[in-house]
Amino acid sequence: MSTSADPLATLAALPGVTESVNAVRTAVDRVYGHRVMRRRSNEVTSEAALRGARGSAALAGADWALEEVRRRTDFGVEGEPRTVGAALRLTAEAGQLLSIWRQSPLRVLARLHLVAAGGAEGDEGIGRPRQSGEPVDEPLIGSDLPLPDADEVAGRLDGLARLLLAGSEAPALVTAAVVHGELLALRPFVSRNGLVARAAERIVLVGSGLDPKSICPAEVGYAELGAAPYMAALEGYASGTPEGMAVWIAHCGRAVELGVRESTAVCEALQRGAA
């Protein structure tokens, strides 16, 4: 990333990024202007949370139909049920952490991992960045990207926190994409990094004011676009090149647009009385 005073703003100026930002802003404004949002925004928020959790879990290897997520209750069972349960818990928790995020992003990330892992504070490897020699269980990424060592993780997490606390003139999409990409590239925890990264992106989008009611679930878009394009775009981010970063930000923007489309469909269903 750039060494300028505002590296996020530098990323926002990359070719193609402005177009992505404008497309997201237009889409978000459109769904917020839907007549259903005047009276039933809480229902849209709840539905977006459920669909977003389903999408995030799908990328983590538990690709369940939406109706299965609705009806199942066995989320403590190992394997796919536990992954879906982690995604649901993260979605519920993220909305409670906005004020803390503005003061201590690293504290929020630790909390998100604790929630995702479903353990207790102090459990081995839970709620803290991984230490030297600790393995990482992240099936989607596997060995496709080099895994930074614990010292690099600590340094880059600290740099990310300082960047966020310093503030930026960059659009919310750019900041959210960087948070998401950095966490995926670093894989700072021993497990559930993808779920945590997508929840952190959600916090940025909501806290920035772009999506204050959390009705634009980018996770839906990532799942719809598919794991292979997701990983290809992430490789662009990890490359650190301007072109690669722009590809990642554009991918994140397209995911938000697809999330908007999903919530627009929910609004239409509610309007027809079919939801």
Side-chain angles (χ1 to χ4, degrees):
M1 294 173 62
S2 168
T3 57
S4 70
D6 190 348
L8 293 174
T10 300
L11 292 178
L14 291 173
V17 171
T18 298
E19 290 82 350
S20 295
V21 168
N22 290 341
V24 165
R25 180 77 266 177
T26 298
V28 171
D29 287 347
R30 187 179 299 119
V31 71
Y32 269 85
H34 197 287
R35 65 175 61 187
V36 165
M37 288 297 296
R38 300 173 199 158
R39 298 173 287 109
R40 305 179 70 178
S41 64
N42 288 343
E43 294 172 70
V44 181
T45 296
S46 295
E47 191 64 21
L50 184 69
R51 296 180 185 219
R54 192 218 73 82
S56 192
L59 282 174
D63 191 1
W64 289 9
L66 184 62
E67 291 310 313
E68 186 171 7
V69 178
R70 290 189 200 280
R71 71 175 180 81
R72 293 277 288 267
T73 58
D74 58 336
F75 299 122
V77 176
E78 286 297 330
E80 291 189 6
R82 193 161 184 176
T83 297
V84 175
L88 289 167
R89 291 193 303 273
L90 281 172
T91 300
E93 186 78 7
Q96 311 302 315
L97 298 172
L98 290 173
S99 61
I100 303 174
W101 178 266
R102 296 185 182 104
Q103 300 171 5
S104 179
L106 297 186
R107 182 180 166 195
V108 169
L109 292 176
R111 174 62 186 172
L112 290 175
H113 186 249
L114 187 69
V115 169
E121 193 168 4
D123 285 359
E124 187 175 359
I126 295 179
R128 60 159 175 78
R130 57 185 167 84
Q131 298 174 357
S132 180
E134 287 185 319
V136 175
D137 179 15
E138 201 65 43
L140 176 64
I141 299 177
S143 59
D144 291 344
L145 290 179
L147 184 68
D149 64 28
D151 289 340
E152 182 178 353
V153 167
R156 286 174 62 175
L157 280 178
D158 182 65
L160 179 63
R162 285 188 281 105
L163 187 67
L164 294 170
L165 292 172
S168 172
E169 295 298 318
L173 172 65
V174 173
T175 303
V178 167
V179 168
H180 185 171
E182 190 72 354
L183 292 175
L184 277 181
L186 291 178
R187 284 147 286 167
F189 303 108
V190 296
S191 64
R192 308 291 193 196
N193 290 285
L195 293 174
V196 169
R198 291 184 287 276
E201 180 187 61
R202 166 72 13 222
I203 290 173
V204 174
L205 292 173
V206 172
S208 67
L210 176 66
D211 181 20
K213 294 182 182 295
S214 194
I215 62 167
C216 307
E219 304 93 333
V220 168
Y222 293 123
E224 183 173 337
L225 291 167
Y230 186 67
M231 282 305 305
L234 176 60
E235 288 170 6
Y237 176 89
S239 74
T241 64
E243 297 79 10
M245 299 291 282
V247 166
W248 172 249
I249 294 168
H251 188 78
C252 294
R254 182 57 182 151
V256 175
E257 290 183 73
L258 290 172
V260 168
R261 188 180 71 180
E262 187 85 356
S263 286
T264 300
V266 170
C267 288
E268 295 294 330
L270 288 170
Q271 186 168 284
R272 294 192 306 270

PDB file of all heavy atoms in Angstrom, residues 118-139:
ATOM      1  N   GLY A 118     -16.695 -20.074  19.006  1.00  0.00           N
ATOM      2  CA  GLY A 118     -17.632 -20.652  19.955  1.00  0.00           C
ATOM      3  C   GLY A 118     -16.975 -21.158  21.220  1.00  0.00           C
ATOM      4  O   GLY A 118     -17.499 -22.033  21.903  1.00  0.00           O
ATOM      5  N   GLY A 119     -15.841 -20.584  21.556  1.00  0.00           N
ATOM      6  CA  GLY A 119     -15.129 -21.013  22.753  1.00  0.00           C
ATOM      7  C   GLY A 119     -15.202 -19.968  23.847  1.00  0.00           C
ATOM      8  O   GLY A 119     -16.029 -19.060  23.816  1.00  0.00           O
ATOM      9  N   ALA A 120     -14.339 -20.095  24.821  1.00  0.00           N
ATOM     10  CA  ALA A 120     -14.268 -19.149  25.922  1.00  0.00           C
ATOM     11  C   ALA A 120     -12.938 -18.421  25.875  1.00  0.00           C
ATOM     12  O   ALA A 120     -11.935 -18.963  25.409  1.00  0.00           O
ATOM     13  CB  ALA A 120     -14.414 -19.882  27.258  1.00  0.00           C
ATOM     14  N   GLU A 121     -12.947 -17.190  26.352  1.00  0.00           N
ATOM     15  CA  GLU A 121     -11.714 -16.417  26.380  1.00  0.00           C
ATOM     16  C   GLU A 121     -10.670 -17.172  27.187  1.00  0.00           C
ATOM     17  O   GLU A 121     -10.952 -17.665  28.284  1.00  0.00           O
ATOM     18  CB  GLU A 121     -11.978 -15.039  27.001  1.00  0.00           C
ATOM     19  CG  GLU A 121     -10.845 -14.064  26.784  1.00  0.00           C
ATOM     20  CD  GLU A 121     -11.257 -12.644  27.135  1.00  0.00           C
ATOM     21  OE1 GLU A 121     -12.380 -12.456  27.605  1.00  0.00           O
ATOM     22  OE2 GLU A 121     -10.422 -11.751  26.932  1.00  0.00           O
ATOM     23  N   GLY A 122      -9.482 -17.290  26.632  1.00  0.00           N
ATOM     24  CA  GLY A 122      -8.431 -18.044  27.293  1.00  0.00           C
ATOM     25  C   GLY A 122      -8.243 -19.438  26.736  1.00  0.00           C
ATOM     26  O   GLY A 122      -7.220 -20.068  26.975  1.00  0.00           O
ATOM     27  N   ASP A 123      -9.255 -19.940  26.004  1.00  0.00           N
ATOM     28  CA  ASP A 123      -9.088 -21.226  25.336  1.00  0.00           C
ATOM     29  C   ASP A 123      -7.936 -21.125  24.348  1.00  0.00           C
ATOM     30  O   ASP A 123      -7.718 -20.075  23.735  1.00  0.00           O
ATOM     31  CB  ASP A 123     -10.362 -21.620  24.584  1.00  0.00           C
ATOM     32  CG  ASP A 123     -11.460 -22.104  25.515  1.00  0.00           C
ATOM     33  OD1 ASP A 123     -11.214 -22.146  26.727  1.00  0.00           O
ATOM     34  OD2 ASP A 123     -12.556 -22.425  25.015  1.00  0.00           O
ATOM     35  N   GLU A 124      -7.222 -22.191  24.162  1.00  0.00           N
ATOM     36  CA  GLU A 124      -6.027 -22.170  23.326  1.00  0.00           C
ATOM     37  C   GLU A 124      -6.342 -21.703  21.906  1.00  0.00           C
ATOM     38  O   GLU A 124      -7.182 -22.273  21.213  1.00  0.00           O
ATOM     39  CB  GLU A 124      -5.398 -23.554  23.273  1.00  0.00           C
ATOM     40  CG  GLU A 124      -4.058 -23.581  22.548  1.00  0.00           C
ATOM     41  CD  GLU A 124      -3.390 -24.944  22.608  1.00  0.00           C
ATOM     42  OE1 GLU A 124      -3.961 -25.856  23.220  1.00  0.00           O
ATOM     43  OE2 GLU A 124      -2.288 -25.080  22.047  1.00  0.00           O
ATOM     44  N   GLY A 125      -5.685 -20.644  21.491  1.00  0.00           N
ATOM     45  CA  GLY A 125      -5.804 -20.154  20.126  1.00  0.00           C
ATOM     46  C   GLY A 125      -7.047 -19.341  19.834  1.00  0.00           C
ATOM     47  O   GLY A 125      -7.210 -18.855  18.717  1.00  0.00           O
ATOM     48  N   ILE A 126      -7.929 -19.152  20.803  1.00  0.00           N
ATOM     49  CA  ILE A 126      -9.192 -18.468  20.553  1.00  0.00           C
ATOM     50  C   ILE A 126      -9.141 -17.029  21.058  1.00  0.00           C
ATOM     51  O   ILE A 126      -8.719 -16.761  22.181  1.00  0.00           O
ATOM     52  CB  ILE A 126     -10.363 -19.221  21.210  1.00  0.00           C
ATOM     53  CG1 ILE A 126     -10.536 -20.586  20.546  1.00  0.00           C
ATOM     54  CG2 ILE A 126     -11.657 -18.429  21.113  1.00  0.00           C
ATOM     55  CD1 ILE A 126     -11.655 -21.420  21.134  1.00  0.00           C
ATOM     56  N   GLY A 127      -9.568 -16.107  20.220  1.00  0.00           N
ATOM     57  CA  GLY A 127      -9.678 -14.719  20.635  1.00  0.00           C
ATOM     58  C   GLY A 127      -8.367 -13.965  20.691  1.00  0.00           C
ATOM     59  O   GLY A 127      -8.278 -12.906  21.316  1.00  0.00           O
ATOM     60  N   ARG A 128      -7.358 -14.479  20.029  1.00  0.00           N
ATOM     61  CA  ARG A 128      -6.057 -13.790  19.966  1.00  0.00           C
ATOM     62  C   ARG A 128      -5.371 -14.145  18.662  1.00  0.00           C
ATOM     63  O   ARG A 128      -5.627 -15.208  18.074  1.00  0.00           O
ATOM     64  CB  ARG A 128      -5.161 -14.198  21.135  1.00  0.00           C
ATOM     65  CG  ARG A 128      -4.857 -15.682  21.163  1.00  0.00           C
ATOM     66  CD  ARG A 128      -3.616 -15.989  21.979  1.00  0.00           C
ATOM     67  NE  ARG A 128      -3.368 -17.419  22.120  1.00  0.00           N
ATOM     68  CZ  ARG A 128      -2.829 -18.189  21.171  1.00  0.00           C
ATOM     69  NH1 ARG A 128      -2.509 -17.665  19.982  1.00  0.00           N
ATOM     70  NH2 ARG A 128      -2.626 -19.478  21.381  1.00  0.00           N
ATOM     71  N   PRO A 129      -4.485 -13.267  18.180  1.00  0.00           N
ATOM     72  CA  PRO A 129      -3.716 -13.611  16.973  1.00  0.00           C
ATOM     73  C   PRO A 129      -2.871 -14.852  17.213  1.00  0.00           C
ATOM     74  O   PRO A 129      -2.408 -15.106  18.333  1.00  0.00           O
ATOM     75  CB  PRO A 129      -2.846 -12.369  16.752  1.00  0.00           C
ATOM     76  CG  PRO A 129      -3.581 -11.256  17.420  1.00  0.00           C
ATOM     77  CD  PRO A 129      -4.225 -11.887  18.632  1.00  0.00           C
ATOM     78  N   ARG A 130      -2.690 -15.622  16.159  1.00  0.00           N
ATOM     79  CA  ARG A 130      -1.922 -16.864  16.295  1.00  0.00           C
ATOM     80  C   ARG A 130      -0.458 -16.578  16.628  1.00  0.00           C
ATOM     81  O   ARG A 130       0.085 -15.527  16.284  1.00  0.00           O
ATOM     82  CB  ARG A 130      -2.011 -17.679  15.003  1.00  0.00           C
ATOM     83  CG  ARG A 130      -1.552 -16.952  13.750  1.00  0.00           C
ATOM     84  CD  ARG A 130      -1.807 -17.805  12.517  1.00  0.00           C
ATOM     85  NE  ARG A 130      -1.677 -17.031  11.301  1.00  0.00           N
ATOM     86  CZ  ARG A 130      -0.532 -16.785  10.686  1.00  0.00           C
ATOM     87  NH1 ARG A 130       0.601 -17.261  11.172  1.00  0.00           N
ATOM     88  NH2 ARG A 130      -0.500 -16.064   9.576  1.00  0.00           N
ATOM     89  N   GLN A 131       0.137 -17.522  17.290  1.00  0.00           N
ATOM     90  CA  GLN A 131       1.534 -17.416  17.687  1.00  0.00           C
ATOM     91  C   GLN A 131       2.405 -18.245  16.758  1.00  0.00           C
ATOM     92  O   GLN A 131       1.923 -19.045  15.956  1.00  0.00           O
ATOM     93  CB  GLN A 131       1.674 -17.873  19.133  1.00  0.00           C
ATOM     94  CG  GLN A 131       0.880 -17.008  20.115  1.00  0.00           C
ATOM     95  CD  GLN A 131       0.903 -17.536  21.535  1.00  0.00           C
ATOM     96  OE1 GLN A 131       1.475 -18.589  21.810  1.00  0.00           O
ATOM     97  NE2 GLN A 131       0.282 -16.794  22.445  1.00  0.00           N
ATOM     98  N   SER A 132       3.696 -18.044  16.878  1.00  0.00           N
ATOM     99  CA  SER A 132       4.644 -18.739  16.014  1.00  0.00           C
ATOM    100  C   SER A 132       4.466 -20.249  16.115  1.00  0.00           C
ATOM    101  O   SER A 132       4.384 -20.806  17.214  1.00  0.00           O
ATOM    102  CB  SER A 132       6.070 -18.357  16.406  1.00  0.00           C
ATOM    103  OG  SER A 132       7.008 -19.009  15.589  1.00  0.00           O
ATOM    104  N   GLY A 133       4.356 -20.883  14.949  1.00  0.00           N
ATOM    105  CA  GLY A 133       4.239 -22.327  14.904  1.00  0.00           C
ATOM    106  C   GLY A 133       2.823 -22.853  14.954  1.00  0.00           C
ATOM    107  O   GLY A 133       2.607 -24.050  14.719  1.00  0.00           O
ATOM    108  N   GLU A 134       1.857 -22.015  15.261  1.00  0.00           N
ATOM    109  CA  GLU A 134       0.472 -22.481  15.316  1.00  0.00           C
ATOM    110  C   GLU A 134      -0.074 -22.649  13.899  1.00  0.00           C
ATOM    111  O   GLU A 134       0.083 -21.754  13.061  1.00  0.00           O
ATOM    112  CB  GLU A 134      -0.406 -21.511  16.100  1.00  0.00           C
ATOM    113  CG  GLU A 134      -0.162 -21.540  17.593  1.00  0.00           C
ATOM    114  CD  GLU A 134      -1.127 -20.656  18.360  1.00  0.00           C
ATOM    115  OE1 GLU A 134      -1.416 -19.545  17.882  1.00  0.00           O
ATOM    116  OE2 GLU A 134      -1.588 -21.068  19.438  1.00  0.00           O
ATOM    117  N   PRO A 135      -0.731 -23.765  13.617  1.00  0.00           N
ATOM    118  CA  PRO A 135      -1.290 -23.984  12.277  1.00  0.00           C
ATOM    119  C   PRO A 135      -2.565 -23.173  12.079  1.00  0.00           C
ATOM    120  O   PRO A 135      -3.183 -22.720  13.044  1.00  0.00           O
ATOM    121  CB  PRO A 135      -1.581 -25.489  12.281  1.00  0.00           C
ATOM    122  CG  PRO A 135      -1.872 -25.793  13.717  1.00  0.00           C
ATOM    123  CD  PRO A 135      -0.970 -24.901  14.520  1.00  0.00           C
ATOM    124  N   VAL A 136      -2.951 -23.023  10.831  1.00  0.00           N
ATOM    125  CA  VAL A 136      -4.174 -22.298  10.486  1.00  0.00           C
ATOM    126  C   VAL A 136      -5.095 -23.222   9.712  1.00  0.00           C
ATOM    127  O   VAL A 136      -4.682 -23.848   8.726  1.00  0.00           O
ATOM    128  CB  VAL A 136      -3.860 -21.043   9.634  1.00  0.00           C
ATOM    129  CG1 VAL A 136      -5.150 -20.375   9.174  1.00  0.00           C
ATOM    130  CG2 VAL A 136      -3.020 -20.065  10.437  1.00  0.00           C
ATOM    131  N   ASP A 137      -6.328 -23.299  10.153  1.00  0.00           N
ATOM    132  CA  ASP A 137      -7.337 -24.099   9.468  1.00  0.00           C
ATOM    133  C   ASP A 137      -8.240 -23.147   8.682  1.00  0.00           C
ATOM    134  O   ASP A 137      -9.138 -22.525   9.240  1.00  0.00           O
ATOM    135  CB  ASP A 137      -8.159 -24.900  10.485  1.00  0.00           C
ATOM    136  CG  ASP A 137      -9.243 -25.742   9.817  1.00  0.00           C
ATOM    137  OD1 ASP A 137      -9.182 -25.920   8.593  1.00  0.00           O
ATOM    138  OD2 ASP A 137     -10.160 -26.202  10.532  1.00  0.00           O
ATOM    139  N   GLU A 138      -7.967 -23.002   7.401  1.00  0.00           N
ATOM    140  CA  GLU A 138      -8.740 -22.114   6.537  1.00  0.00           C
ATOM    141  C   GLU A 138      -8.880 -22.803   5.184  1.00  0.00           C
ATOM    142  O   GLU A 138      -8.159 -22.497   4.226  1.00  0.00           O
ATOM    143  CB  GLU A 138      -8.047 -20.762   6.388  1.00  0.00           C
ATOM    144  CG  GLU A 138      -8.960 -19.642   5.946  1.00  0.00           C
ATOM    145  CD  GLU A 138     -10.027 -19.327   6.986  1.00  0.00           C
ATOM    146  OE1 GLU A 138      -9.721 -19.265   8.186  1.00  0.00           O
ATOM    147  OE2 GLU A 138     -11.186 -19.154   6.569  1.00  0.00           O
ATOM    148  N   PRO A 139      -9.821 -23.745   5.055  1.00  0.00           N
ATOM    149  CA  PRO A 139      -9.886 -24.618   3.875  1.00  0.00           C
ATOM    150  C   PRO A 139     -10.020 -23.884   2.545  1.00  0.00           C
ATOM    151  O   PRO A 139      -9.436 -24.309   1.548  1.00  0.00           O
ATOM    152  CB  PRO A 139     -11.126 -25.478   4.151  1.00  0.00           C
ATOM    153  CG  PRO A 139     -11.290 -25.449   5.635  1.00  0.00           C
ATOM    154  CD  PRO A 139     -10.821 -24.098   6.066  1.00  0.00           C
TER     155      PRO A 139
END
